[in-house]
Amino acid sequence: MASSAPARPTGTSSTPVPLKWVGPLRISSPALGGTQEISVPLATYETPLWPSVGRGARVSTMVEEGIRAVVVDERMTRSILLEADDAATALAAWRRLEDSREKLQAVVATSSRFARLIDMHVQIVGDLLFLRLELTTGDASGHNMVTLAGERLMDHILATIPGVRYVSPSGNYCIDKKASAVNGILGRGKNVVTEILLPREVVERRLRTSAAAVEKLNVRKNLIGSILAGSLRSANAHYANMLLGFYLATGQDAANIVEGSQGVTRAEDRDGDLYFSCTLPNVIVGSVGNGKGLPEVDEALRLLGCREEREPGENGRRLAVLAAATVLCGELSLLAAQTNQGELMRSHVVLERGAGRGDRVQAPPAQDPVS
Amino acid sequence: MASSAPARPTGTSSTPVPLKWVGPLRISSPALGGTQEISVPLATYETPLWPSVGRGARVSTMVEEGIRAVVVDERMTRSILLEADDAATALAAWRRLEDSREKLQAVVATSSRFARLIDMHVQIVGDLLFLRLELTTGDASGHNMVTLAGERLMDHILATIPGVRYVSPSGNYCIDKKASAVNGILGRGKNVVTEILLPREVVERRLRTSAAAVEKLNVRKNLIGSILAGSLRSANAHYANMLLGFYLATGQDAANIVEGSQGVTRAEDRDGDLYFSCTLPNVIVGSVGNGKGLPEVDEALRLLGCREEREPGENGRRLAVLAAATVLCGELSLLAAQTNQGELMRSHVVLERGAGRGDRVQAPPAQDPVS
Amino acid sequence: MASSAPARPTGTSSTPVPLKWVGPLRISSPALGGTQEISVPLATYETPLWPSVGRGARVSTMVEEGIRAVVVDERMTRSILLEADDAATALAAWRRLEDSREKLQAVVATSSRFARLIDMHVQIVGDLLFLRLELTTGDASGHNMVTLAGERLMDHILATIPGVRYVSPSGNYCIDKKASAVNGILGRGKNVVTEILLPREVVERRLRTSAAAVEKLNVRKNLIGSILAGSLRSANAHYANMLLGFYLATGQDAANIVEGSQGVTRAEDRDGDLYFSCTLPNVIVGSVGNGKGLPEVDEALRLLGCREEREPGENGRRLAVLAAATVLCGELSLLAAQTNQGELMRSHVVLERGAGRGDRVQAPPAQDPVS
Amino acid sequence: MASSAPARPTGTSSTPVPLKWVGPLRISSPALGGTQEISVPLATYETPLWPSVGRGARVSTMVEEGIRAVVVDERMTRSILLEADDAATALAAWRRLEDSREKLQAVVATSSRFARLIDMHVQIVGDLLFLRLELTTGDASGHNMVTLAGERLMDHILATIPGVRYVSPSGNYCIDKKASAVNGILGRGKNVVTEILLPREVVERRLRTSAAAVEKLNVRKNLIGSILAGSLRSANAHYANMLLGFYLATGQDAANIVEGSQGVTRAEDRDGDLYFSCTLPNVIVGSVGNGKGLPEVDEALRLLGCREEREPGENGRRLAVLAAATVLCGELSLLAAQTNQGELMRSHVVLERGAGRGDRVQAPPAQDPVS
């Protein structure tokens, strides 16, 4: 027999995750309406992350435009799964769906006033039909919105197209919170590109390294090392750390760091200056939705300027740009530190002593020393 | 010029993530010393996760052994990165390292009394040498332990092996918090296999589905759908959701859900009974380390029975088994729900009404309806 | 000093690869104008492949429609690579290109009368712009056609869009002859789905197995086993073997078996009958182009009915369907054999004896016994 | 009814694939017993490959050591697949197998005098046990040898270990001829690293480019471009082309170019000189076995010096080194060409004219212009 269960708390409580505002970062982006200096909140148990991102943030303020950020694309997706009489029937169904986008748009409109169908992709595998629905979802990350739209479309398809049958409201060709290639190729969430050009003296004095050293390390570790590990569309040091901290602080569904982690860092020595760029194809955030009403989250969103009256989608894009710029700060700081033998371990010792004394930490910082 | 920065909070605060204890689950495992019934804490903004896991938990108590769980492997890894004079020198260095494991073990021992080198793997790419160090790390998840051991070994190698030079304390062949294949193949964290055999009547009455339907959906969605999405060693519906909730509640470095999400669900119809299994090769948890001293986390670990005096590693394995069993509960519940057209959306509406009223939810539950 | 080079043949000669016509297969496809029985040539050093495919072919003739095949999509691709002043400039360039498809179409038309631009996709990574051009290419596989079209478009872009510069005529986002996900998701070559429904008695008497056994093996080996291996959009036993033999016999650029190998086998027990399907998203073949004028190749294409006067593209699609149906035959035969312990090794012994005597082989055949 | 089948040839014939000896290449390798100049045969329908590889070969002779090549590892693998009573039983079986390697070695020895078990790896997924057997196989590529050894071990395991049952002689964790990560990480075939350091003047005058330009292109195309394409352990321009030509000319099972294509090109500007390296973890070749007895193949192997009386394995390693060095030549030539806008298309026009006249081609060559 099973041993008896220990007593356990009932009802709902909460786990407080340590949070600190880091910055300010200087960011230039159409999504911010120009150039801004702004601090960002990071909730994490791995507190060395704070000074690490902080160092990157300080560096961003030493360049006129700071971190430049553009939102290349945005969409949320759901793939419904149908079974057809055979592959030919599946193909015929797909062609019919392609030809009736206007009607499908109308069906989607019944599910939400923010949902809009912007594209569809298909995979036919034998007699199975995976239909990837791609929608804009206003300021919401949109998980529930695409699910509801998907169910409505499923009902419509089953009612109007012969020879197809229900299999699942999701066929994993969406794909949510799994390591895959489709989200980077077809898009899911906000695709944000960030970049900064750091003058040689900033690289040398503030990051204690050189553009050439960072470029070389990035190629060998983030590109080649990741390739050897059998990575998939992942070429970075630790995007997941920054995304997790930012997502938790702003009430996001942080399990989306799985695809969020899949981005590409570039570093190039440009005549001694450092071109540094982080491309994050799958920043999945919203300024409304589950969790956003909690007081601490609401306050964080307000301080980030994401509670303003704006066109639908603008608050969401703003949030995505802030998340991506935060990633750049942490990525830059860690790579710079790793170019110098022993720096990470030394800074960690300092950080831990500081933490032990409750002091502010001045040392060259780095989170998880060797992600 | 940049617009002025808004005021922002200074000092350290925290973000409270909603938490609920779910269960009990019935679990049989050598890591638990037999069969136990035990509840688990889930911290998440996506509160429909609670009843979803809860339904799976209830089902687990209807089988004598409940969920069976075994820890197949455990290790934590760090890959240091060196540059050699050429590939032949890199190969010679590797062969020398292979022949001096005893000495390397002694070096590792100077870094921590818990760290023990259990294996090494290498990748030689041109004149670069990626050395993947694999250690046991007691009850800690071991990120810092392997980093420190790696630095000590790096120093030792640089001092004793000619023709090699420092590149980085981490070469991303570890690999930490990135979507990759290496962690599943060579191991990182605890590799936990969970399984349960559910009698036909439990499947029909409690999950309102059939073994045949769950098997078919699992093949089409979790296996084929994930393959189409270009997934990497990922064949499940939503492991990341349960891992995130469990990791946050127990003070883990939750960014490790990236590799944690990469596991395989199996479902087989065995004469009407349902064989259901979740294999999680990369459960990265510890009962000691960063974050574990926070009062809420400490209390959660205590209630989970992971604060006992045991052999080093036992509390960590216990924690891993509990995490993995929690995953199985949520996975089973969601798959069962998706076999029935419309069930997820209906249950969501009920859940949201329930949440609005603050009521207990009785309805067939499901988290993110169509992950 | 280097040792002296051995004498070596000069001029051009050839390597004769053993070839056998296998079949007939029975195939139903719009690309064949209905149902046909037709034999196919396989050139290979691995001669056990012949009886293996032959067994599958015989089975196909026992079903009225035989193997049903549909061409879901066709295109050939090339990704040119440009560098922009920054990410915003890259994005602006992309939007301008999207808005000028008609003009781009006209540029493409100058490169070939068969080339037609049907779609474009983009990846922006920092200040780099990867532009994936997607064309139909008539009866040619189209490698050279897309390259020439790409160069013309590159010239046009550099002349008309400010702020972008040449990097490469190919940026590997095409992607040619590499293991990737993009070709399966966005398409490259002909996407062909084949399927057959085999009555129980055919499965039992001709394949000496059962639908249930083949389904189970397919899930465990082709789906789960491949996933464990860290495979990418690959879930089959040995597509590459059949494609290589068919490609060599018909003068194709057989290095495209790399992406050709990435397809999905499905097997389902349908009340004792066996539903069996092979989906090949990347069959890259042409009936014209390099190698097609060699006498043996020309004769093979003629016998396959791919030298007829037809609309551009029809001969190419016909070829793709024949290739894919051949794959199904070999895949079915091998999987059936592997359900029975020891069958493969026994048949191999028989085959080798048969080969030694120059006899026809009657035994249950299987190529590379356990691919 | 099916239309009647066209007549088709009976019996065995052959397809002659055009072949040319290219070179000589200068290569230094322990596998060659030092430095040698040697030409290599390439059988291909894509004849522009010849001058492309030829250009790389010429360059290799301008450096004292030429191309340096080392064999880092060699093994051939087969994963048998078993089903156990449950995961715990699977784990117990695995531990028992680990503890009885000597006995397993003896079983392997009964299958072939060349087969030797050097390692095993396992994957346990629910109650399934994938056992990856790793053997050295003398001068054979070893497909059949590992299959036979696997069957013997399977028989032994089923006879001696309780609670496990037969599933398949191959569970795809081997993995053969599929795009995967496991072969690069655990090894399959010969793992060969090649490298060359080209003086600035050779780069400029013979390749008409610069080390900086090649480095930059390699990072952007082969590394980043491939990553964007969702590639798996693939970072090169066209390894598959050279491997196919070499494999066909030497009687190899050329379907193994699938995993052969998965390698990493490095290019670094070292003070104006070009460090260039190709790492090919999965060169699967043999100097004995299927196809090797055909007169043309036998002659090619003899001319390559792979028909000598040597220790088992030496002829095979020699062949692998020659294959890998050939890859380097073609890779170098194509990358150099792509750094210059328009060079590939111009050279192609020249090549085609040359081909039309039957002339020798002098122009800067490049195969498939933009792989």
Side-chain angles (χ1 to χ4, degrees):
Chain A
M1 252 315 291
S3 64
S4 65
R8 54 125 175 171
T10 55
T12 302
S13 63
S14 67
T15 295
V17 182
L19 178 141
K20 202 171 158 67
W21 286 77
V22 173
L25 293 69
R26 187 178 295 171
I27 313 172
S28 296
S29 177
L32 304 188
T35 302
Q36 286 203 346
E37 289 204 353
I38 187 162
S39 291
V40 294
L42 292 170
T44 180
Y45 295 121
E46 312 298 317
T47 53
L49 184 62
W50 296 329
S52 179
V53 173
R55 181 165 77 149
R58 278 194 299 281
V59 163
S60 76
T61 63
M62 295 169 187
V63 180
E64 190 175 333
E65 289 187 299
I67 299 162
R68 286 165 286 141
V70 294
V71 178
V72 168
D73 187 63
E74 66 180 311
R75 65 192 62 213
M76 179 45 63
T77 64
R78 181 60 70 203
S79 76
I80 59 176
L81 175 50
L82 299 158
E83 178 188 49
D85 289 344
D86 54 19
T89 305
L91 180 57
W94 163 240
R95 293 205 168 131
R96 221 169 121 172
L97 290 167
E98 278 196 300
D99 290 343
S100 54
R101 292 210 180 194
E102 212 167 316
K103 176 59 192 162
L104 301 182
Q105 190 65 268
V107 173
V108 166
T110 67
S111 69
S112 159
R113 63 194 169 107
F114 295 110
R116 196 167 57 81
L117 183 71
I118 51 174
D119 212 346
M120 297 189 297
H121 285 88
V122 76
Q123 292 275 319
I124 295 174
V125 179
D127 56 11
L128 293 177
L129 177 70
F130 294 77
L131 185 62
R132 191 180 197 263
L133 306 164
E134 306 178 5
L135 286 75
T136 52
T137 59
D139 285 313
S141 60
H143 298 80
N144 291 336
M145 216 180 282
V146 292
T147 300
L148 186 55
E151 297 231 340
R152 293 280 167 86
L153 284 171
M154 174 83 89
D155 291 344
H156 172 74
I157 291 167
L158 295 175
T160 58
I161 297 190
V164 298
R165 291 171 293 283
Y166 170 88
V167 177
S168 175
S170 164
N172 271 19
Y173 192 62
C174 319
I175 189 175
D176 193 40
K177 302 165 185 166
K178 265 86 77 184
S180 86
V182 74
N183 287 347
I185 290 171
L186 294 181
R188 194 165 202 255
K190 272 80 170 170
N191 182 335
V192 188
V193 180
T194 63
E195 51 188 351
I196 193 167
L197 186 66
L198 293 172
R200 177 198 298 260
E201 61 270 20
V202 171
V203 177
E204 289 177 354
R205 292 179 53 190
R206 297 296 171 154
L207 298 173
R208 274 169 304 186
T209 185
S210 69
V214 176
E215 172 176 334
K216 184 168 280 193
L217 179 62
N218 186 58
V219 169
R220 293 173 166 197
K221 168 195 170 77
N222 282 348
L223 300 182
I224 295 175
S226 299
I227 288 167
L228 296 177
S231 290
L232 195 59
R233 284 185 60 95
S234 298
N236 63 76
H238 68 144
Y239 287 10
N241 284 328
M242 282 73 76
L243 287 178
L244 176 67
F246 189 92
Y247 282 9
L248 290 178
T250 59
Q252 309 304 319
D253 186 349
N256 283 121
I257 64 168
V258 176
E259 53 266 70
S261 75
Q262 296 183 275
V264 176
T265 297
R266 288 182 55 214
E268 289 188 8
D269 174 5
R270 296 193 174 169
D271 294 325
D273 297 342
L274 174 62
Y275 173 80
F276 196 82
S277 163
C278 295
T279 296
L280 292 106
N282 304 114
V283 180
I284 299 181
V285 294
S287 61
V288 299
N290 286 352
K292 309 306 180 300
L294 296 171
E296 293 80 1
V297 167
D298 181 63
E299 173 69 2
L301 290 170
R302 197 186 59 74
L303 287 170
L304 290 172
C306 296
R307 281 286 189 244
E308 308 295 311
E309 288 290 328
R310 297 195 175 101
E311 287 298 304
E314 287 193 10
N315 280 323
R317 281 191 290 277
R318 178 182 178 85
L319 201 51
V321 160
L322 297 177
T326 304
V327 166
L328 183 144
C329 292
E331 183 77 358
L332 174 62
S333 183
L334 179 59
L335 279 182
Q338 294 198 349
T339 61
N340 297 314
Q341 192 182 351
E343 176 173 327
L344 279 160
M345 232 44 219
R346 281 194 304 275
S347 69
H348 243 244
V349 172
V350 174
L351 284 168
E352 279 168 10
R353 280 192 203 136
R357 291 198 312 273
D359 285 348
R360 296 285 294 280
V361 174
Q362 305 299 336
Q367 199 273 339
D368 184 4
V370 277
S371 264
Chain B
M1 251 317 293
S3 65
S4 66
R8 55 122 177 171
T10 56
T12 303
S13 63
S14 66
T15 296
V17 181
L19 179 141
K20 201 171 158 70
W21 285 78
V22 173
L25 294 68
R26 187 178 295 173
I27 313 171
S28 297
S29 177
L32 304 188
T35 302
Q36 287 203 345
E37 291 205 351
I38 187 163
S39 292
V40 295
L42 291 171
T44 180
Y45 295 121
E46 311 299 317
T47 54
L49 185 61
W50 296 330
S52 178
V53 173
R55 180 165 77 151
R58 277 194 300 282
V59 163
S60 77
T61 63
M62 296 168 187
V63 180
E64 187 175 335
E65 289 188 297
I67 299 162
R68 285 165 287 141
V70 294
V71 178
V72 169
D73 187 64
E74 66 180 312
R75 62 191 65 212
M76 178 46 61
T77 64
R78 180 62 68 202
S79 76
I80 58 176
L81 175 49
L82 299 158
E83 177 189 49
D85 289 344
D86 55 20
T89 305
L91 180 57
W94 164 240
R95 292 204 169 133
R96 223 169 118 169
L97 290 167
E98 279 196 299
D99 290 343
S100 52
R101 293 211 178 191
E102 212 166 317
K103 176 60 191 162
L104 301 182
Q105 190 64 270
V107 173
V108 166
T110 67
S111 69
S112 159
R113 63 193 168 107
F114 295 109
R116 197 166 56 83
L117 182 70
I118 51 175
D119 212 347
M120 297 189 296
H121 285 88
V122 76
Q123 291 275 319
I124 294 174
V125 179
D127 55 11
L128 293 176
L129 177 70
F130 294 78
L131 185 62
R132 190 179 199 262
L133 305 164
E134 306 179 6
L135 285 75
T136 52
T137 58
D139 285 314
S141 60
H143 299 79
N144 292 335
M145 216 181 283
V146 293
T147 300
L148 185 55
E151 297 232 339
R152 293 280 168 86
L153 283 171
M154 175 85 90
D155 291 344
H156 171 74
I157 291 168
L158 294 175
T160 58
I161 296 190
V164 298
R165 290 171 294 283
Y166 171 87
V167 177
S168 175
S170 164
N172 271 20
Y173 192 63
C174 321
I175 186 176
D176 193 40
K177 302 164 184 168
K178 265 87 78 184
S180 87
V182 74
N183 287 347
I185 290 171
L186 294 182
R188 195 167 200 253
K190 272 81 171 169
N191 183 334
V192 188
V193 180
T194 63
E195 52 188 349
I196 193 167
L197 186 65
L198 294 172
R200 177 198 297 259
E201 61 270 20
V202 172
V203 177
E204 290 176 353
R205 294 180 50 192
R206 298 295 172 153
L207 298 173
R208 275 170 303 187
T209 184
S210 69
V214 175
E215 172 177 334
K216 184 168 281 194
L217 178 63
N218 186 57
V219 169
R220 293 172 166 198
K221 169 197 173 76
N222 283 347
L223 299 182
I224 294 175
S226 298
I227 288 168
L228 297 177
S231 291
L232 194 59
R233 284 187 59 96
S234 297
N236 63 76
H238 69 144
Y239 287 9
N241 284 328
M242 282 73 76
L243 287 179
L244 177 66
F246 189 91
Y247 281 8
L248 290 178
T250 59
Q252 309 303 320
D253 187 349
N256 283 122
I257 64 168
V258 175
E259 54 266 71
S261 74
Q262 297 183 271
V264 176
T265 296
R266 288 182 56 215
E268 289 187 9
D269 174 5
R270 298 195 171 166
D271 293 325
D273 298 341
L274 175 62
Y275 173 80
F276 196 82
S277 163
C278 295
T279 296
L280 292 106
N282 302 115
V283 179
I284 299 182
V285 294
S287 62
V288 298
N290 285 352
K292 310 307 180 301
L294 296 169
E296 292 80 1
V297 167
D298 181 62
E299 174 68 2
L301 290 171
R302 197 187 58 75
L303 287 170
L304 290 172
C306 296
R307 280 285 189 244
E308 308 295 312
E309 289 291 328
R310 295 194 176 101
E311 287 299 304
E314 288 193 9
N315 280 323
R317 281 189 292 276
R318 178 181 177 87
L319 201 51
V321 159
L322 297 177
T326 305
V327 166
L328 184 144
C329 292
E331 183 77 358
L332 174 62
S333 183
L334 179 58
L335 279 182
Q338 294 198 350
T339 60
N340 297 316
Q341 193 181 351
E343 175 174 326
L344 279 160
M345 232 43 218
R346 281 194 304 276
S347 69
H348 243 244
V349 172
V350 174
L351 284 168
E352 280 168 12
R353 282 193 201 134
R357 293 198 312 271
D359 284 347
R360 295 288 292 281
V361 174
Q362 304 299 336
Q367 199 275 339
D368 184 4
V370 276
S371 265
Chain C
M1 252 314 293
S3 65
S4 64
R8 55 126 177 170
T10 55
T12 304
S13 63
S14 66
T15 296
V17 181
L19 179 141
K20 201 171 158 69
W21 286 77
V22 173
L25 293 68
R26 186 178 296 172
I27 313 172
S28 297
S29 177
L32 303 188
T35 302
Q36 287 203 345
E37 290 204 352
I38 187 162
S39 292
V40 294
L42 291 170
T44 180
Y45 295 121
E46 311 298 317
T47 53
L49 185 62
W50 296 330
S52 179
V53 173
R55 181 165 77 149
R58 277 193 301 281
V59 163
S60 77
T61 64
M62 296 169 187
V63 180
E64 188 174 335
E65 290 188 297
I67 298 162
R68 286 165 287 142
V70 294
V71 178
V72 168
D73 187 63
E74 66 178 312
R75 64 192 64 212
M76 178 46 62
T77 64
R78 180 61 68 203
S79 75
I80 59 176
L81 175 49
L82 299 158
E83 178 189 47
D85 289 343
D86 54 18
T89 306
L91 180 57
W94 164 240
R95 292 203 169 133
R96 220 168 122 172
L97 290 167
E98 278 195 299
D99 290 343
S100 53
R101 293 210 179 193
E102 212 167 316
K103 176 59 192 163
L104 301 182
Q105 191 64 270
V107 173
V108 166
T110 67
S111 69
S112 160
R113 64 195 169 106
F114 295 109
R116 198 165 56 81
L117 183 70
I118 51 174
D119 212 345
M120 297 189 296
H121 285 88
V122 75
Q123 291 275 318
I124 295 173
V125 179
D127 55 12
L128 293 176
L129 177 71
F130 294 78
L131 184 64
R132 191 179 197 264
L133 305 163
E134 307 178 6
L135 286 76
T136 53
T137 59
D139 284 314
S141 61
H143 299 80
N144 292 335
M145 216 181 281
V146 293
T147 300
L148 185 55
E151 297 232 338
R152 292 280 167 86
L153 284 171
M154 174 84 89
D155 291 343
H156 172 74
I157 291 167
L158 294 175
T160 58
I161 297 190
V164 298
R165 291 172 293 284
Y166 170 87
V167 177
S168 175
S170 164
N172 272 20
Y173 191 63
C174 320
I175 188 176
D176 192 41
K177 303 164 185 167
K178 265 87 77 185
S180 85
V182 73
N183 287 347
I185 290 171
L186 294 182
R188 194 166 201 253
K190 272 81 171 169
N191 182 335
V192 188
V193 180
T194 63
E195 51 188 351
I196 193 167
L197 186 65
L198 294 172
R200 177 199 297 260
E201 62 270 21
V202 172
V203 177
E204 289 177 354
R205 293 180 51 193
R206 298 295 171 154
L207 298 173
R208 274 170 304 188
T209 184
S210 69
V214 175
E215 172 176 335
K216 184 168 281 194
L217 179 62
N218 186 57
V219 168
R220 293 173 166 196
K221 168 196 171 77
N222 283 347
L223 300 182
I224 294 175
S226 298
I227 288 168
L228 297 177
S231 291
L232 194 59
R233 283 186 60 95
S234 297
N236 62 76
H238 70 143
Y239 287 9
N241 284 328
M242 281 73 76
L243 287 178
L244 177 67
F246 190 92
Y247 282 8
L248 290 178
T250 59
Q252 308 303 320
D253 187 349
N256 283 122
I257 64 167
V258 176
E259 53 266 71
S261 75
Q262 297 182 274
V264 176
T265 296
R266 288 182 55 214
E268 288 187 9
D269 174 5
R270 297 193 173 168
D271 294 325
D273 298 341
L274 174 62
Y275 174 80
F276 195 82
S277 164
C278 295
T279 296
L280 291 107
N282 303 115
V283 180
I284 298 182
V285 294
S287 62
V288 299
N290 286 351
K292 309 306 180 300
L294 297 170
E296 293 80 1
V297 167
D298 182 64
E299 174 69 2
L301 290 170
R302 197 187 59 74
L303 287 170
L304 290 172
C306 295
R307 281 284 188 244
E308 308 295 312
E309 289 291 327
R310 296 194 176 100
E311 287 299 304
E314 287 193 10
N315 280 322
R317 281 190 290 278
R318 178 181 177 86
L319 201 51
V321 159
L322 296 177
T326 304
V327 167
L328 183 143
C329 292
E331 182 78 358
L332 173 63
S333 182
L334 179 58
L335 280 182
Q338 293 197 349
T339 60
N340 297 315
Q341 192 182 351
E343 176 174 327
L344 279 160
M345 233 42 220
R346 281 194 304 274
S347 69
H348 244 243
V349 172
V350 174
L351 285 167
E352 281 169 9
R353 282 196 203 130
R357 293 198 312 271
D359 283 357
R360 295 286 293 281
V361 174
Q362 304 299 337
Q367 198 272 340
D368 185 5
V370 277
S371 262
Chain D
M1 251 314 294
S3 65
S4 65
R8 55 122 176 173
T10 55
T12 303
S13 63
S14 67
T15 295
V17 181
L19 179 140
K20 201 170 158 68
W21 285 77
V22 173
L25 293 69
R26 187 178 296 172
I27 313 172
S28 297
S29 176
L32 304 189
T35 302
Q36 286 203 343
E37 291 206 350
I38 187 163
S39 291
V40 295
L42 292 170
T44 179
Y45 296 121
E46 311 298 317
T47 54
L49 184 62
W50 296 330
S52 178
V53 173
R55 181 166 76 150
R58 278 195 300 282
V59 163
S60 77
T61 64
M62 295 169 187
V63 180
E64 189 175 333
E65 289 188 297
I67 298 162
R68 286 165 287 141
V70 294
V71 178
V72 169
D73 187 63
E74 66 180 310
R75 63 191 65 212
M76 178 46 60
T77 64
R78 180 62 68 205
S79 76
I80 58 176
L81 174 49
L82 299 158
E83 178 189 47
D85 290 343
D86 54 20
T89 305
L91 180 57
W94 163 240
R95 293 204 169 132
R96 219 168 122 171
L97 290 167
E98 277 196 300
D99 291 342
S100 53
R101 294 211 178 192
E102 212 167 316
K103 176 61 191 163
L104 302 182
Q105 191 65 269
V107 173
V108 166
T110 67
S111 70
S112 160
R113 62 195 169 106
F114 295 108
R116 196 167 56 83
L117 183 70
I118 52 174
D119 212 347
M120 298 190 295
H121 285 87
V122 76
Q123 292 274 319
I124 295 173
V125 179
D127 55 11
L128 293 176
L129 177 70
F130 294 77
L131 185 63
R132 191 179 198 262
L133 306 164
E134 307 178 5
L135 284 76
T136 52
T137 59
D139 284 313
S141 61
H143 299 80
N144 292 336
M145 217 181 282
V146 293
T147 300
L148 185 55
E151 297 232 338
R152 292 281 168 85
L153 284 171
M154 175 84 89
D155 290 343
H156 172 75
I157 291 167
L158 295 175
T160 58
I161 297 189
V164 298
R165 290 171 294 283
Y166 171 87
V167 177
S168 176
S170 165
N172 271 20
Y173 192 64
C174 321
I175 189 176
D176 193 41
K177 302 164 184 168
K178 265 86 79 183
S180 86
V182 73
N183 286 348
I185 290 171
L186 294 181
R188 195 167 200 253
K190 273 81 170 168
N191 182 334
V192 189
V193 180
T194 63
E195 52 188 351
I196 193 167
L197 185 66
L198 294 172
R200 177 198 297 260
E201 61 271 19
V202 171
V203 177
E204 290 176 354
R205 294 180 53 192
R206 298 296 171 152
L207 298 173
R208 274 170 303 189
T209 184
S210 69
V214 176
E215 172 177 333
K216 185 169 279 194
L217 179 62
N218 186 57
V219 169
R220 292 172 167 198
K221 169 196 171 75
N222 283 347
L223 299 183
I224 294 175
S226 299
I227 288 167
L228 296 177
S231 290
L232 194 59
R233 283 186 60 97
S234 297
N236 63 76
H238 68 143
Y239 288 10
N241 284 329
M242 283 72 76
L243 288 178
L244 177 67
F246 190 92
Y247 282 7
L248 289 178
T250 58
Q252 309 304 319
D253 187 349
N256 283 120
I257 65 168
V258 175
E259 53 267 71
S261 75
Q262 297 182 274
V264 176
T265 296
R266 288 182 57 215
E268 289 188 8
D269 174 4
R270 297 195 172 166
D271 294 325
D273 298 341
L274 175 62
Y275 173 80
F276 195 82
S277 163
C278 295
T279 295
L280 293 107
N282 303 114
V283 180
I284 299 182
V285 294
S287 60
V288 298
N290 286 352
K292 310 307 180 298
L294 296 170
E296 294 80 1
V297 167
D298 181 62
E299 174 69 2
L301 290 171
R302 197 187 58 76
L303 288 169
L304 290 172
C306 296
R307 280 286 189 243
E308 309 295 312
E309 288 291 328
R310 296 194 176 101
E311 287 298 304
E314 288 193 9
N315 280 323
R317 281 189 291 277
R318 179 182 177 87
L319 202 51
V321 159
L322 297 177
T326 304
V327 166
L328 183 143
C329 292
E331 183 77 358
L332 174 63
S333 183
L334 179 58
L335 279 182
Q338 294 198 348
T339 60
N340 298 316
Q341 192 182 351
E343 176 174 326
L344 280 160
M345 231 44 217
R346 282 195 303 276
S347 69
H348 242 244
V349 172
V350 175
L351 285 168
E352 281 169 9
R353 282 193 201 134
R357 292 197 312 271
D359 283 357
R360 294 287 292 281
V361 174
Q362 305 299 335
Q367 198 273 338
D368 184 7
V370 276
S371 264

